Amino acid sequence: MKRSIYLQPTGIFWDRTERRAIDDADIPAWKGLPLAGGRLSFAALDVLTRTSGATKCRTIVLGDAFSGDWGREALAAADILQELSSVRSRFAGLSLDRPRVMGIINVTPDSFSDGGEHANAEAAIAHGMRLVEEGAEILDIGGESTRPRAETVSVEEELRRVIPVIEGLRAKTGAVISVDTRKSEVMRRAVAAGAAILNDVSAFTHDPESLAAAAESGLPVVLMHAQGDPKTMNDNPQYGDVVLDVFDYLESRVQACVAAGIPKAKIVADPGIGFGKHLHHNVAVMAGLSLYHGLGVPILLGASRKKMIGQLCNVEEAKDRVPGSLACAIAGVAAGVQIVRAHDVKETKQAIEVWRACAAGTEKGLE
Ligand code: 7PJ
């Protein structure tokens, strides 16, 4: 059943607990709620309702959320507030009280040109080691391009691309290794090779065996929203309200995972920038990011070098989209996103750390 009410945290600020303890200890109206149990708090809510297809929005301060009469929505509102503010579990051993950067390693022929197979694996491993040096805490290794219009690759080819890279990076770095795949067989073999996270852009809907394979592995998972298959997904995406439709989808996939035996504490959700979304959908999702904390799981954002940035700023070459990627990363972190997926790890780390220090007003932001 679809929800009739959604709550999007707004009025998000850095929680200066020490300062408030002295100045406003007894002014509860000033208190925000912690956003996903982290260092950001929110002071207001956009209350979104869907009636006969149209979304209505009203903004209320948090005090009114507690004292107001929610009528039939009282239980739903209390539930969402709880999900929005509760502390998130560690993910693949990483605490999520500060943003983590997932570095991208594409082991696809167009990403690592020239040389034979061995050279490709070696180049990918060297690239991964460099990303770890630059501060990536997670490495996301993918062997199937899921870019718009990409052709599918066989299981054998995908295994041939990713397994040596997972093994090599597992041996050479302490980074948490994530495999970006939609295929159950690749998942199983990646787990045996040392992967610690399963990242599936189809949220375990592409391969009928993938959900069981994930549950059996016991590993944490990333569920991403996409509409349609990569080959055709950007031809004609359709939404009622994209921000809310993505929420509904992710909520249903979280429930499917839990039903299959994956504990909620091992799930991360991702709204899937660029996957079956036009530019106006992508920017709407970016503006709606804080809503997704209502899922009660950590949020991952992957906007790095994507077409959205090219479209907004008329930048054809993906490698020229780094500044826009950093702006997206910061927009995400400012909305409480816990994991940022990025090609340009050094730059992304720098942007996040400087933003955190500025938001906190203290170098503790860097902690
Ligand atoms: C994403 C991904 C993303 C997650 C890709 C690209 C396309 N996995 N895999 N989120 N994108 N979780 O990097 O441009 O946004 S492949």
Side-chain angles (χ1 to χ4, degrees), residues 40-70:
L40 296 175
S41 290
F42 57 101
L45 290 167
D46 282 348
V47 181
L48 305 158
T49 48
R50 288 216 227 211
T51 33
S52 57
T55 304
K56 286 193 189 142
C57 175
R58 66 194 164 97
T59 304
I60 59 172
V61 296
L62 215 48
D64 289 350
F66 286 115
S67 61
D69 180 6
W70 288 94

Side-chain angles (χ1 to χ4, degrees), residues 21-226:
I22 302 163
D23 290 344
D24 336 317
D26 47 14
I27 312 176
W30 273 105
K31 285 220 171 84
L33 273 180
L35 186 60
R39 293 297 309 274
L40 296 175
S41 290
F42 57 101
L45 290 167
D46 282 348
V47 181
L48 305 158
T49 48
R50 288 216 227 211
T51 33
S52 57
T55 304
K56 286 193 189 142
C57 175
R58 66 194 164 97
T59 304
I60 59 172
V61 296
L62 215 48
D64 289 350
F66 286 115
S67 61
D69 180 6
W70 288 94
R72 277 190 306 165
E73 307 295 357
L75 266 180
D79 228 44
I80 306 172
L81 274 171
Q82 170 65 29
E83 298 287 35
L84 286 174
S85 57
S86 63
V87 177
R88 302 298 184 246
S89 311
R90 293 171 80 86
F91 186 69
L94 297 168
S95 71
L96 297 178
D97 50 355
R98 62 189 169 91
R100 304 290 184 168
V101 175
M102 170 189 258
I104 302 169
I105 305 175
N106 278 321
V107 200
T108 45
D110 45 336
S111 320
F112 290 95
S113 49
D114 52 60
E117 280 164 42
H118 187 56
N120 275 358
E122 263 184 11
I125 292 166
H127 183 63
M129 289 170 65
R130 191 160 57 244
L131 296 185
V132 172
E133 261 167 47
E134 292 180 3
E137 284 125 337
I138 304 170
L139 295 175
D140 190 37
I141 301 165
E144 178 198 35
S145 176
T146 45
R147 283 169 193 280
R149 312 221 169 277
E151 292 295 330
T152 51
V153 298
S154 67
V155 175
E156 294 69 34
E157 175 61 16
E158 200 178 325
L159 286 169
R160 196 183 62 73
R161 291 177 185 177
V162 299
I163 299 301
V165 181
I166 295 172
E167 286 171 346
L169 285 168
R170 179 60 197 258
K172 290 184 175 159
T173 74
V176 175
I177 293 174
S178 160
V179 63
D180 183 349
T181 186
R182 303 182 296 165
K183 301 190 182 82
S184 55
E185 184 58 19
V186 178
M187 291 174 191
R188 288 193 199 95
R189 295 276 302 277
V191 174
I197 296 173
L198 303 175
N199 173 29
D200 183 345
V201 299
S202 81
F204 304 101
T205 63
H206 176 75
D207 175 343
E209 285 182 39
S210 58
L211 188 52
E216 206 171 296
S217 75
L219 291 190
V221 299
V222 179
L223 309 178
M224 198 197 76
H225 171 273

Side-chain angles (χ1 to χ4, degrees), residues 14-16 18 39-40 97-100 330 333 349-367:
W14 191 276
D15 195 350
R16 298 179 181 83
E18 310 86 356
R39 293 297 309 274
L40 296 175
D97 50 355
R98 62 189 169 91
R100 304 290 184 168
I330 295 306
V333 168
K349 292 285 282 193
Q350 188 179 97
I352 292 174
E353 297 208 351
V354 171
W355 178 82
R356 278 170 57 79
C358 294
T362 147
E363 69 226 80
K364 272 192 191 157
L366 300 177
E367 273 175 5

